Amino acid sequence: MAIADKLVLQRQRHLKWRRLDWLELALMILCGVLCFGFSLSVTADIVTRTIGHPWLWLQEVTSTLFIYAIFIGTAVATRRNDHLYLTAISEAMHGTPRTIVEIIIRLIVLGVAFCLIWYGYQNYLRGFGSFRLPSGTPIASLYAVIPLSGVLIGLFTIEQLVNGLRNGFDHPEPPDEDAAPDVAEAQARARP
């Protein structure tokens, strides 16, 4: 199984466009790089402080990596239906009630995406008046990811809405190949 097949979630395939699989893959890789960089910078910060020669710029790097990982991770989790999604409510329903709840949930997520875009952009513009120390980098560099995350969340939510209205939201999931076999299934295999 290729790395792309492992990183692009196949669950709820009926709600996704294949044309956006590359974006999910790229965002998952980016999240991994950001989390690795965050861990590395925290470790380096601890080591340099312990040996008595702290690199103050590492705190800026750490906070930037952390914030970018959160907002990019939120966007990719939206496509994977792992975040900003109330599955317990909607999955307990079927038919028209489920469709109504799925649409309402996604409209709320679209509202959140709009707020991220609108207010994130306003904060981004205001961020050019404040600077981070010791580098003197505008704080806008931290805020740039917020409207980008809002755009991605909006795109993935629209993708799910369109496909859900076309294909239906309620589809049985294929069995997970990585999951442990059912106990009854294992006993049936064990019998001669």
Side-chain angles (χ1 to χ4, degrees):
M1 186 178 255
I3 187 80
D5 294 333
K6 291 182 180 180
L7 290 179
V8 176
L9 197 61
Q10 298 304 311
R11 189 181 74 223
Q12 296 185 338
R13 191 76 238 173
H14 65 287
L15 297 177
K16 299 177 182 179
W17 292 317
R18 294 220 180 263
R19 294 183 301 256
L20 293 180
D21 284 354
W22 69 270
L23 185 55
E24 182 180 347
L25 175 64
L27 292 174
M28 287 298 293
I29 291 170
L30 180 59
C31 281
V33 169
L34 290 169
C35 288
F36 178 76
F38 171 76
S39 301
L40 192 63
S41 68
V42 167
T43 302
D45 190 28
I46 292 169
V47 168
T48 59
R49 286 176 183 278
T50 302
I51 63 174
H53 299 290
W55 297 345
L56 299 178
W57 58 268
L58 276 173
Q59 292 180 1
E60 288 184 49
V61 171
T62 301
S63 63
T64 301
L65 292 171
F66 182 69
I67 290 168
Y68 273 66
I70 288 171
F71 283 100
I72 297 297
T74 301
V76 75
T78 300
R79 181 160 204 254
R80 298 164 66 96
N81 282 334
D82 288 337
H83 195 59
L84 295 175
Y85 184 68
L86 306 171
T87 57
I89 295 170
S90 63
E91 288 180 359
M93 301 177 177
H94 299 287
T96 304
R98 178 166 182 169
T99 301
I100 292 169
V101 168
E102 294 277 5
I103 290 170
I104 290 170
I105 288 170
R106 284 177 175 81
L107 290 176
I108 291 169
V109 172
L110 270 178
V112 170
F114 176 77
C115 289
L116 286 170
I117 294 167
W118 181 259
Y119 295 110
Y121 185 68
Q122 288 179 353
N123 280 334
Y124 169 74
L125 292 178
R126 287 187 188 125
F128 285 105
S130 300
F131 301 93
R132 302 176 71 192
L133 294 176
S135 71
T137 307
I139 289 184
S141 64
L142 287 178
Y143 298 150
V145 73
I146 298 171
L148 172 64
S149 175
V151 168
L152 292 170
I153 290 169
L155 172 68
F156 295 145
T157 303
I158 290 169
E159 170 192 38
Q160 292 170 7
L161 264 173
V162 168
N163 288 322
L165 290 171
R166 275 190 194 151
N167 306 324
F169 290 99
D170 192 9
H171 276 260
E173 292 298 321
D176 189 9
E177 295 172 5
D178 297 334
D182 187 355
V183 173
E185 191 178 310
Q187 289 173 348
R189 279 192 224 153
R191 291 186 191 141

